[in-house]
Amino acid sequence: MPDRMRFETAAIHAGQDPDPTTGAAIVPIYQTSTYVQDSVAKHKGFEYSRTDNPTRHALETCLASLEGARHAVAFGSGMAAITTLALTLASGDRVIIPDDGYGGTYRLFSKVTPPLGINFEAVNMADPDALGKALAGGAALVLAETPTNPWLKILDIEALAAASHAAGALLAVDNTFASPFLQRPLELGADVVVYSATKYLGGHSDLVAGSLATSDDALAERLRFLQNAAGAIPGPFDSWLLLRGLKTLALRMRAHCSGAAEVAHWLTGRADVRSVHYPGLEHFPGHRVAAKQMAAGGAPLYGGMVALELGSRTEALALCNNTKLFWLGESLGGVESLIEHPAEMTHASVAGSEVEVPDTLVRLSVGIEHPADLIADLERALG
Ligand SMILES: *Cc1c(COP(=O)(O)O)cnc(C)c1O
């Protein structure tokens, strides 16, 4: 097998040699908790499935390869991955998170970790002065997200890495919205990449999983220890489903990106849509940085998420309630299109806080259906 496979090839082959015992072309679902040993403490590399499992092992090898990382560690959800990353911190450490990040991340750092002595600050990371001020207060970890959720703001990962490292902090990037096909934060200076694999990596809305990837050997060893010690692992079946999803990630991402671009451009022509947020639009504030750091095969690609603001809460709710192809639901990144109202759905847990989302905002996860059908659905629902 070649040393350095291209993305599309690694998705099919990394960690996925034919099964050594049977020749099975697809990595089997090793649905077992334990492994029979040859003699005391003499085993074939697996002892207990919380510690390691062959299906999960194949998944982790593939995830690391797609990221260009030395290590990837899989978890039972994106939040399990972020919680395990938080467990690398100690009492007295401070974390800086985005002021428009994933609601569950905000909930974790505002409600779960403060009693452990881990404090946080939510800042607008697109504003270098605000970030600089927060870093000046001392930080062990900066956990960034780009594109952000739900505004799709773009952060410059290289600049964030430089600022974080100058302040002695590690930079973790939640890359869930971009996927490793469009954006590889480690190559831009980040120390850790975080995923909710539930979204684009799995891609079929049929599993919940997460992962962390890093090329820092010491950090990887700590994460691997915590994966086993805290135990927030994915099971063999979900690991297998995720491995299957990864095989088509490149194809799916291209379709998500072109569909989202068509939908976003169409929305900008509507008088009843107050604003459209999509990194591929030329007037979008983060467009130039996105064009620099989000690409596949040398060509910029801007992801499958679109946000739009309507004139009122009533109009936003009417759109969410009236689409037929865009199903009303939380989550994103599946082959089917979804629509949602962040203020009362995904971001309800941040209502009343400094990161509250306006009730005029609607978020779209553009699936891989034909874009003309998706546009017709929106046109009818807006009408
Ligand atoms: C969904 C999501 C998470 C949480 O992942 P789960 O798999 O739902 O636990 C974290 N970050 C982002 C950006 C997400 O979209």
Side-chain angles (χ1 to χ4, degrees):
M1 194 169 290
D3 294 344
R4 187 75 176 90
M5 292 178 278
R6 288 170 180 80
F7 191 96
E8 291 85 343
T9 313
I12 311 289
H13 291 286
Q16 300 168 83
D17 288 341
D19 187 54
T21 52
T22 63
I26 296 302
V27 173
I29 304 167
Y30 282 91
Q31 193 72 38
T32 186
S33 59
T34 190
Y35 304 81
V36 177
Q37 308 198 0
D38 297 332
S39 57
V40 174
K42 200 159 164 276
H43 55 76
K44 298 180 171 70
F46 298 92
E47 297 158 87
Y48 186 64
S49 279
R50 171 162 33 76
T51 314
D52 205 358
N53 169 281
T55 313
R56 192 179 91 210
H57 191 86
L59 168 66
E60 291 175 336
T61 304
C62 187
L63 286 169
S65 175
L66 296 183
E67 203 64 48
R70 290 166 58 84
H71 314 275
V73 188
F75 294 93
S77 69
M79 287 320 302
I82 297 171
T83 300
T84 304
L85 181 62
L87 291 176
T88 63
L89 302 170
S91 176
D93 281 346
R94 240 164 57 90
V95 184
I96 300 174
I97 62 172
D99 68 356
D100 69 336
Y102 181 66
T105 301
Y106 182 81
R107 183 173 53 197
L108 178 76
F109 287 107
S110 63
K111 298 220 162 80
V112 180
T113 55
L116 307 176
I118 298 163
N119 294 311
F120 82 105
E121 189 174 337
V123 305
N124 175 4
M125 292 193 190
D127 174 355
D129 292 340
L131 179 66
K133 228 188 241 166
L135 283 169
L141 178 70
V142 175
L143 173 50
E145 243 178 85
T146 180
T148 65
N149 177 12
W151 293 106
L152 305 170
K153 276 195 275 183
I154 301 294
L155 304 178
D156 186 326
I157 297 173
E158 277 181 333
L160 271 181
S164 304
H165 294 159
L170 288 184
L171 174 65
V173 175
D174 184 331
N175 204 36
T176 299
F177 273 39
S179 92
F181 184 59
L182 303 186
Q183 180 169 275
R184 281 172 301 282
L186 297 183
E187 292 170 7
L188 299 167
D191 302 286
V192 192
V193 186
V194 177
Y195 288 101
S196 168
T198 312
K199 317 293 168 54
Y200 289 107
L201 300 188
H204 296 76
S205 308
D206 53 10
L207 65 91
V208 174
S211 79
L212 298 173
T214 182
S215 289
D216 178 328
D217 293 342
L219 180 60
E221 199 181 316
R222 182 76 186 145
L223 293 172
R224 180 77 57 204
F225 170 81
L226 288 169
Q227 179 195 38
N228 182 49
I233 52 155
F237 184 55
D238 283 350
S239 298
W240 183 86
L241 275 177
L242 180 49
L243 203 46
R244 180 159 87 160
L246 291 178
K247 290 174 198 283
T248 55
L249 179 60
L251 294 172
R252 288 185 286 106
M253 287 315 295
R254 286 191 188 283
H256 284 296
C257 292
S258 61
E262 277 195 48
V263 167
H265 279 111
W266 179 80
L267 285 169
T268 58
R270 294 281 306 196
D272 48 358
V273 174
R274 207 197 270 169
S275 66
V276 183
H277 302 257
Y278 184 65
L281 296 172
E282 261 159 46
H283 67 76
F284 192 69
H287 177 69
R288 285 193 33 217
V289 176
K292 183 185 78 169
Q293 71 186 17
M294 297 175 75
L301 284 174
Y302 301 98
M305 300 300 293
V306 178
L308 60 145
E309 274 186 287
L310 292 164
S312 65
R313 171 173 179 269
T314 309
E315 286 174 38
L317 293 184
L319 175 61
C320 290
N321 287 327
N322 286 321
T323 53
K324 292 212 158 67
L325 281 179
F326 279 90
W327 288 338
L328 179 63
E330 302 199 356
S331 198
L332 59 115
V335 292
E336 58 286 302
S337 293
L338 293 176
I339 189 166
E340 68 118 358
H341 188 248
E344 287 161 57
M345 293 173 65
T346 50
H347 289 62
S349 67
V350 299
S353 75
E354 75 251 55
V355 299
E356 184 166 352
V357 175
D359 59 13
T360 49
L361 189 75
V362 170
R363 190 185 79 179
L364 305 176
S365 172
V366 179
I368 64 170
E369 302 96 335
H370 197 293
D373 291 332
L374 297 177
I375 288 169
D377 190 38
L378 292 171
E379 182 160 36
R380 202 192 41 75
L382 280 168

mmCIF file of all heavy atoms in Angstrom, residues 96 98 123-128 131-132 135 142-146 148 154-167 169-174 188-191 292-293:
data_model
loop_
_atom_site.group_PDB
_atom_site.id
_atom_site.type_symbol
_atom_site.label_atom_id
_atom_site.label_comp_id
_atom_site.label_asym_id
_atom_site.label_seq_id
_atom_site.Cartn_x
_atom_site.Cartn_y
_atom_site.Cartn_z
ATOM 1 N N ILE A 96 -11.003 29.034 26.568
ATOM 2 C CA ILE A 96 -11.681 30.073 25.790
ATOM 3 C C ILE A 96 -12.487 29.397 24.695
ATOM 4 O O ILE A 96 -11.945 28.588 23.930
ATOM 5 C CB ILE A 96 -10.668 31.076 25.208
ATOM 6 C CG1 ILE A 96 -9.912 31.739 26.365
ATOM 7 C CG2 ILE A 96 -11.373 32.123 24.360
ATOM 8 C CD1 ILE A 96 -8.797 32.649 25.925
ATOM 9 N N PRO A 98 -15.890 29.878 21.684
ATOM 10 C CA PRO A 98 -16.498 30.912 20.854
ATOM 11 C C PRO A 98 -17.839 31.379 21.411
ATOM 12 O O PRO A 98 -18.535 30.610 22.076
ATOM 13 C CB PRO A 98 -16.701 30.228 19.496
ATOM 14 C CG PRO A 98 -16.423 28.794 19.683
ATOM 15 C CD PRO A 98 -15.969 28.536 21.075
ATOM 16 N N VAL A 123 -15.861 34.167 23.828
ATOM 17 C CA VAL A 123 -15.504 35.409 23.137
ATOM 18 C C VAL A 123 -15.796 35.306 21.647
ATOM 19 O O VAL A 123 -15.883 34.213 21.092
ATOM 20 C CB VAL A 123 -14.001 35.778 23.321
ATOM 21 C CG1 VAL A 123 -13.627 35.862 24.773
ATOM 22 C CG2 VAL A 123 -13.104 34.803 22.602
ATOM 23 N N ASN A 124 -15.887 36.463 21.019
ATOM 24 C CA ASN A 124 -16.004 36.535 19.565
ATOM 25 C C ASN A 124 -14.601 36.359 18.994
ATOM 26 O O ASN A 124 -13.800 37.282 18.958
ATOM 27 C CB ASN A 124 -16.592 37.892 19.155
ATOM 28 C CG ASN A 124 -16.614 38.054 17.647
ATOM 29 O OD1 ASN A 124 -16.261 37.140 16.902
ATOM 30 N ND2 ASN A 124 -17.041 39.229 17.198
ATOM 31 N N MET A 125 -14.300 35.151 18.548
ATOM 32 C CA MET A 125 -12.936 34.851 18.098
ATOM 33 C C MET A 125 -12.605 35.485 16.752
ATOM 34 O O MET A 125 -11.455 35.488 16.340
ATOM 35 C CB MET A 125 -12.735 33.339 18.041
ATOM 36 C CG MET A 125 -12.745 32.710 19.410
ATOM 37 S SD MET A 125 -12.146 31.021 19.344
ATOM 38 C CE MET A 125 -12.580 30.486 20.995
ATOM 39 N N ALA A 126 -13.629 36.007 16.069
ATOM 40 C CA ALA A 126 -13.360 36.712 14.814
ATOM 41 C C ALA A 126 -12.806 38.107 15.094
ATOM 42 O O ALA A 126 -12.333 38.782 14.189
ATOM 43 C CB ALA A 126 -14.640 36.808 13.983
ATOM 44 N N ASP A 127 -12.836 38.524 16.357
ATOM 45 C CA ASP A 127 -12.327 39.840 16.756
ATOM 46 C C ASP A 127 -10.996 39.634 17.485
ATOM 47 O O ASP A 127 -10.962 39.223 18.649
ATOM 48 C CB ASP A 127 -13.369 40.507 17.679
ATOM 49 C CG ASP A 127 -12.880 41.821 18.266
ATOM 50 O OD1 ASP A 127 -11.704 42.189 18.041
ATOM 51 O OD2 ASP A 127 -13.674 42.482 18.961
ATOM 52 N N PRO A 128 -9.866 39.912 16.805
ATOM 53 C CA PRO A 128 -8.545 39.632 17.397
ATOM 54 C C PRO A 128 -8.331 40.353 18.731
ATOM 55 O O PRO A 128 -7.653 39.828 19.616
ATOM 56 C CB PRO A 128 -7.546 40.136 16.340
ATOM 57 C CG PRO A 128 -8.319 40.222 15.067
ATOM 58 C CD PRO A 128 -9.747 40.475 15.454
ATOM 59 N N LEU A 131 -10.159 38.384 21.444
ATOM 60 C CA LEU A 131 -9.422 37.151 21.726
ATOM 61 C C LEU A 131 -8.142 37.475 22.502
ATOM 62 O O LEU A 131 -7.816 36.798 23.486
ATOM 63 C CB LEU A 131 -9.091 36.413 20.427
ATOM 64 C CG LEU A 131 -8.300 35.126 20.619
ATOM 65 C CD1 LEU A 131 -9.135 34.082 21.367
ATOM 66 C CD2 LEU A 131 -7.830 34.557 19.274
ATOM 67 N N GLY A 132 -7.438 38.530 22.058
ATOM 68 C CA GLY A 132 -6.200 38.930 22.730
ATOM 69 C C GLY A 132 -6.435 39.243 24.199
ATOM 70 O O GLY A 132 -5.667 38.840 25.072
ATOM 71 N N LEU A 135 -7.009 36.016 26.055
ATOM 72 C CA LEU A 135 -5.759 35.254 26.210
ATOM 73 C C LEU A 135 -4.847 35.886 27.258
ATOM 74 O O LEU A 135 -4.120 35.180 27.963
ATOM 75 C CB LEU A 135 -5.021 35.165 24.866
ATOM 76 C CG LEU A 135 -5.573 34.156 23.856
ATOM 77 C CD1 LEU A 135 -4.934 34.349 22.492
ATOM 78 C CD2 LEU A 135 -5.360 32.725 24.345
ATOM 79 N N VAL A 142 -7.694 26.889 23.895
ATOM 80 C CA VAL A 142 -8.646 27.649 23.075
ATOM 81 C C VAL A 142 -9.387 26.612 22.241
ATOM 82 O O VAL A 142 -8.757 25.812 21.544
ATOM 83 C CB VAL A 142 -7.918 28.662 22.161
ATOM 84 C CG1 VAL A 142 -8.908 29.354 21.227
ATOM 85 C CG2 VAL A 142 -7.149 29.682 22.995
ATOM 86 N N LEU A 143 -10.707 26.593 22.366
ATOM 87 C CA LEU A 143 -11.502 25.645 21.572
ATOM 88 C C LEU A 143 -12.309 26.461 20.566
ATOM 89 O O LEU A 143 -13.300 27.091 20.913
ATOM 90 C CB LEU A 143 -12.419 24.820 22.481
ATOM 91 C CG LEU A 143 -13.434 23.885 21.809
ATOM 92 C CD1 LEU A 143 -12.776 22.998 20.761
ATOM 93 C CD2 LEU A 143 -14.145 23.026 22.845
ATOM 94 N N ALA A 144 -11.834 26.458 19.316
ATOM 95 C CA ALA A 144 -12.457 27.274 18.273
ATOM 96 C C ALA A 144 -13.357 26.412 17.404
ATOM 97 O O ALA A 144 -13.263 25.181 17.407
ATOM 98 C CB ALA A 144 -11.381 27.941 17.425
ATOM 99 N N GLU A 145 -14.215 27.091 16.654
ATOM 100 C CA GLU A 145 -15.098 26.408 15.715
ATOM 101 C C GLU A 145 -15.141 27.243 14.452
ATOM 102 O O GLU A 145 -15.391 28.444 14.530
ATOM 103 C CB GLU A 145 -16.520 26.410 16.312
ATOM 104 C CG GLU A 145 -17.097 25.071 16.616
ATOM 105 C CD GLU A 145 -18.485 25.223 17.242
ATOM 106 O OE1 GLU A 145 -19.462 25.350 16.499
ATOM 107 O OE2 GLU A 145 -18.558 25.234 18.484
ATOM 108 N N THR A 146 -14.921 26.635 13.299
ATOM 109 C CA THR A 146 -15.048 27.382 12.048
ATOM 110 C C THR A 146 -15.377 26.436 10.908
ATOM 111 O O THR A 146 -14.719 25.414 10.784
ATOM 112 C CB THR A 146 -13.778 28.211 11.731
ATOM 113 O OG1 THR A 146 -13.982 28.924 10.496
ATOM 114 C CG2 THR A 146 -12.504 27.407 11.625
ATOM 115 N N THR A 148 -18.620 28.763 12.172
ATOM 116 C CA THR A 148 -19.302 28.702 13.458
ATOM 117 C C THR A 148 -20.770 28.325 13.274
ATOM 118 O O THR A 148 -21.300 28.346 12.170
ATOM 119 C CB THR A 148 -19.211 30.044 14.202
ATOM 120 O OG1 THR A 148 -19.920 31.034 13.452
ATOM 121 C CG2 THR A 148 -17.774 30.473 14.392
ATOM 122 N N ILE A 154 -16.305 32.765 9.840
ATOM 123 C CA ILE A 154 -15.059 32.078 9.513
ATOM 124 C C ILE A 154 -13.930 32.638 10.371
ATOM 125 O O ILE A 154 -13.733 33.855 10.449
ATOM 126 C CB ILE A 154 -14.711 32.276 8.015
ATOM 127 C CG1 ILE A 154 -15.829 31.725 7.124
ATOM 128 C CG2 ILE A 154 -13.370 31.627 7.702
ATOM 129 C CD1 ILE A 154 -16.021 30.229 7.188
ATOM 130 N N LEU A 155 -13.200 31.744 11.031
ATOM 131 C CA LEU A 155 -12.036 32.153 11.802
ATOM 132 C C LEU A 155 -10.790 31.736 11.038
ATOM 133 O O LEU A 155 -10.760 30.674 10.409
ATOM 134 C CB LEU A 155 -12.034 31.465 13.171
ATOM 135 C CG LEU A 155 -13.291 31.669 14.024
ATOM 136 C CD1 LEU A 155 -13.170 30.895 15.323
ATOM 137 C CD2 LEU A 155 -13.511 33.153 14.305
ATOM 138 N N ASP A 156 -9.750 32.560 11.121
ATOM 139 C CA ASP A 156 -8.484 32.256 10.464
ATOM 140 C C ASP A 156 -7.684 31.327 11.390
ATOM 141 O O ASP A 156 -7.159 31.757 12.421
ATOM 142 C CB ASP A 156 -7.739 33.582 10.223
ATOM 143 C CG ASP A 156 -6.471 33.373 9.407
ATOM 144 O OD1 ASP A 156 -5.823 32.309 9.571
ATOM 145 O OD2 ASP A 156 -6.127 34.272 8.632
ATOM 146 N N ILE A 157 -7.604 30.065 11.029
ATOM 147 C CA ILE A 157 -6.998 29.062 11.924
ATOM 148 C C ILE A 157 -5.506 29.341 12.151
ATOM 149 O O ILE A 157 -5.013 29.214 13.278
ATOM 150 C CB ILE A 157 -7.220 27.633 11.380
ATOM 151 C CG1 ILE A 157 -8.734 27.319 11.345
ATOM 152 C CG2 ILE A 157 -6.482 26.595 12.242
ATOM 153 C CD1 ILE A 157 -9.081 26.000 10.659
ATOM 154 N N GLU A 158 -4.797 29.759 11.090
ATOM 155 C CA GLU A 158 -3.361 30.058 11.259
ATOM 156 C C GLU A 158 -3.153 31.186 12.273
ATOM 157 O O GLU A 158 -2.283 31.107 13.137
ATOM 158 C CB GLU A 158 -2.731 30.449 9.916
ATOM 159 C CG GLU A 158 -2.329 29.230 9.094
ATOM 160 C CD GLU A 158 -1.674 29.587 7.771
ATOM 161 O OE1 GLU A 158 -1.964 30.685 7.228
ATOM 162 O OE2 GLU A 158 -0.899 28.756 7.282
ATOM 163 N N ALA A 159 -3.976 32.221 12.169
ATOM 164 C CA ALA A 159 -3.851 33.356 13.087
ATOM 165 C C ALA A 159 -4.227 32.942 14.507
ATOM 166 O O ALA A 159 -3.566 33.335 15.481
ATOM 167 C CB ALA A 159 -4.737 34.505 12.618
ATOM 168 N N LEU A 160 -5.263 32.113 14.626
ATOM 169 C CA LEU A 160 -5.682 31.630 15.948
ATOM 170 C C LEU A 160 -4.585 30.791 16.599
ATOM 171 O O LEU A 160 -4.338 30.893 17.801
ATOM 172 C CB LEU A 160 -6.907 30.733 15.812
ATOM 173 C CG LEU A 160 -8.285 31.338 15.854
ATOM 174 C CD1 LEU A 160 -9.317 30.224 15.730
ATOM 175 C CD2 LEU A 160 -8.487 32.087 17.170
ATOM 176 N N ALA A 161 -3.934 29.945 15.791
ATOM 177 C CA ALA A 161 -2.866 29.078 16.314
ATOM 178 C C ALA A 161 -1.713 29.941 16.810
ATOM 179 O O ALA A 161 -1.182 29.720 17.907
ATOM 180 C CB ALA A 161 -2.397 28.105 15.238
ATOM 181 N N ALA A 162 -1.352 30.958 16.029
ATOM 182 C CA ALA A 162 -0.236 31.834 16.431
ATOM 183 C C ALA A 162 -0.577 32.542 17.742
ATOM 184 O O ALA A 162 0.237 32.574 18.674
ATOM 185 C CB ALA A 162 0.054 32.838 15.324
ATOM 186 N N ALA A 163 -1.785 33.095 17.837
ATOM 187 C CA ALA A 163 -2.177 33.834 19.042
ATOM 188 C C ALA A 163 -2.262 32.901 20.253
ATOM 189 O O ALA A 163 -1.798 33.233 21.346
ATOM 190 C CB ALA A 163 -3.520 34.526 18.812
ATOM 191 N N SER A 164 -2.832 31.714 20.058
ATOM 192 C CA SER A 164 -2.974 30.768 21.172
ATOM 193 C C SER A 164 -1.600 30.333 21.679
ATOM 194 O O SER A 164 -1.342 30.321 22.882
ATOM 195 C CB SER A 164 -3.769 29.530 20.730
ATOM 196 O OG SER A 164 -5.020 29.913 20.223
ATOM 197 N N HIS A 165 -0.725 29.962 20.740
ATOM 198 C CA HIS A 165 0.590 29.458 21.131
ATOM 199 C C HIS A 165 1.435 30.543 21.801
ATOM 200 O O HIS A 165 2.150 30.262 22.758
ATOM 201 C CB HIS A 165 1.311 28.869 19.911
ATOM 202 C CG HIS A 165 0.624 27.640 19.374
ATOM 203 N ND1 HIS A 165 0.794 27.171 18.102
ATOM 204 C CD2 HIS A 165 -0.263 26.795 19.957
ATOM 205 C CE1 HIS A 165 0.047 26.084 17.912
ATOM 206 N NE2 HIS A 165 -0.603 25.844 19.033
ATOM 207 N N ALA A 166 1.305 31.787 21.306
ATOM 208 C CA ALA A 166 2.058 32.886 21.924
ATOM 209 C C ALA A 166 1.628 33.073 23.376
ATOM 210 O O ALA A 166 2.418 33.501 24.219
ATOM 211 C CB ALA A 166 1.847 34.178 21.137
ATOM 212 N N ALA A 167 0.363 32.734 23.682
ATOM 213 C CA ALA A 167 -0.140 32.884 25.047
ATOM 214 C C ALA A 167 0.027 31.602 25.860
ATOM 215 O O ALA A 167 -0.449 31.506 26.991
ATOM 216 C CB ALA A 167 -1.613 33.287 25.005
ATOM 217 N N ALA A 169 -1.268 28.635 25.161
ATOM 218 C CA ALA A 169 -2.464 27.782 25.147
ATOM 219 C C ALA A 169 -2.406 26.820 23.967
ATOM 220 O O ALA A 169 -1.809 27.125 22.931
ATOM 221 C CB ALA A 169 -3.719 28.649 25.031
ATOM 222 N N LEU A 170 -3.045 25.674 24.113
ATOM 223 C CA LEU A 170 -3.230 24.761 22.993
ATOM 224 C C LEU A 170 -4.441 25.238 22.191
ATOM 225 O O LEU A 170 -5.386 25.783 22.756
ATOM 226 C CB LEU A 170 -3.508 23.334 23.481
ATOM 227 C CG LEU A 170 -2.359 22.543 24.105
ATOM 228 C CD1 LEU A 170 -2.845 21.126 24.422
ATOM 229 C CD2 LEU A 170 -1.139 22.486 23.188
ATOM 230 N N LEU A 171 -4.388 24.989 20.880
ATOM 231 C CA LEU A 171 -5.552 25.312 20.052
ATOM 232 C C LEU A 171 -6.229 24.025 19.598
ATOM 233 O O LEU A 171 -5.614 23.180 18.938
ATOM 234 C CB LEU A 171 -5.146 26.124 18.813
ATOM 235 C CG LEU A 171 -6.309 26.369 17.821
ATOM 236 C CD1 LEU A 171 -7.399 27.243 18.443
ATOM 237 C CD2 LEU A 171 -5.801 26.994 16.526
ATOM 238 N N ALA A 172 -7.505 23.876 19.960
ATOM 239 C CA ALA A 172 -8.337 22.792 19.438
ATOM 240 C C ALA A 172 -9.346 23.418 18.483
ATOM 241 O O ALA A 172 -9.865 24.501 18.750
ATOM 242 C CB ALA A 172 -9.068 22.081 20.574
ATOM 243 N N VAL A 173 -9.598 22.772 17.356
ATOM 244 C CA VAL A 173 -10.596 23.276 16.401
ATOM 245 C C VAL A 173 -11.683 22.227 16.225
ATOM 246 O O VAL A 173 -11.405 21.081 15.865
ATOM 247 C CB VAL A 173 -9.951 23.615 15.036
ATOM 248 C CG1 VAL A 173 -11.027 24.017 14.025
ATOM 249 C CG2 VAL A 173 -8.918 24.719 15.183
ATOM 250 N N ASP A 174 -12.920 22.635 16.519
ATOM 251 C CA ASP A 174 -14.076 21.787 16.233
ATOM 252 C C ASP A 174 -14.360 21.942 14.739
ATOM 253 O O ASP A 174 -14.836 22.981 14.283
ATOM 254 C CB ASP A 174 -15.271 22.232 17.084
ATOM 255 C CG ASP A 174 -16.490 21.315 16.906
ATOM 256 O OD1 ASP A 174 -16.630 20.723 15.814
ATOM 257 O OD2 ASP A 174 -17.296 21.223 17.840
ATOM 258 N N LEU A 188 -2.743 23.701 9.591
ATOM 259 C CA LEU A 188 -2.759 25.157 9.742
ATOM 260 C C LEU A 188 -2.258 25.574 11.127
ATOM 261 O O LEU A 188 -2.349 26.738 11.497
ATOM 262 C CB LEU A 188 -4.176 25.685 9.509
ATOM 263 C CG LEU A 188 -4.754 25.401 8.111
ATOM 264 C CD1 LEU A 188 -6.254 25.669 8.064
ATOM 265 C CD2 LEU A 188 -4.038 26.227 7.048
ATOM 266 N N GLY A 189 -1.769 24.615 11.920
ATOM 267 C CA GLY A 189 -1.154 24.957 13.195
ATOM 268 C C GLY A 189 -1.931 24.556 14.443
ATOM 269 O O GLY A 189 -1.440 24.740 15.557
ATOM 270 N N ALA A 190 -3.148 24.017 14.281
ATOM 271 C CA ALA A 190 -3.917 23.601 15.464
ATOM 272 C C ALA A 190 -3.263 22.365 16.101
ATOM 273 O O ALA A 190 -2.530 21.626 15.437
ATOM 274 C CB ALA A 190 -5.351 23.283 15.079
ATOM 275 N N ASP A 191 -3.547 22.161 17.395
ATOM 276 C CA ASP A 191 -2.967 21.025 18.117
ATOM 277 C C ASP A 191 -3.899 19.827 18.152
ATOM 278 O O ASP A 191 -3.447 18.690 18.224
ATOM 279 C CB ASP A 191 -2.638 21.461 19.561
ATOM 280 C CG ASP A 191 -1.689 22.644 19.568
ATOM 281 O OD1 ASP A 191 -0.499 22.431 19.288
ATOM 282 O OD2 ASP A 191 -2.147 23.778 19.814
ATOM 283 N N LYS A 292 -9.140 30.699 1.490
ATOM 284 C CA LYS A 292 -7.743 30.344 1.765
ATOM 285 C C LYS A 292 -7.639 29.007 2.497
ATOM 286 O O LYS A 292 -6.748 28.213 2.229
ATOM 287 C CB LYS A 292 -7.133 31.471 2.616
ATOM 288 C CG LYS A 292 -5.666 31.314 2.954
ATOM 289 C CD LYS A 292 -5.181 32.418 3.894
ATOM 290 C CE LYS A 292 -5.607 32.142 5.337
ATOM 291 N NZ LYS A 292 -4.984 33.008 6.346
ATOM 292 N N GLN A 293 -8.558 28.745 3.433
ATOM 293 C CA GLN A 293 -8.355 27.565 4.292
ATOM 294 C C GLN A 293 -9.357 26.422 4.077
ATOM 295 O O GLN A 293 -9.199 25.357 4.652
ATOM 296 C CB GLN A 293 -8.305 27.968 5.773
ATOM 297 C CG GLN A 293 -9.626 28.406 6.366
ATOM 298 C CD GLN A 293 -9.500 28.939 7.794
ATOM 299 O OE1 GLN A 293 -8.399 29.279 8.242
ATOM 300 N NE2 GLN A 293 -10.592 29.005 8.503
#
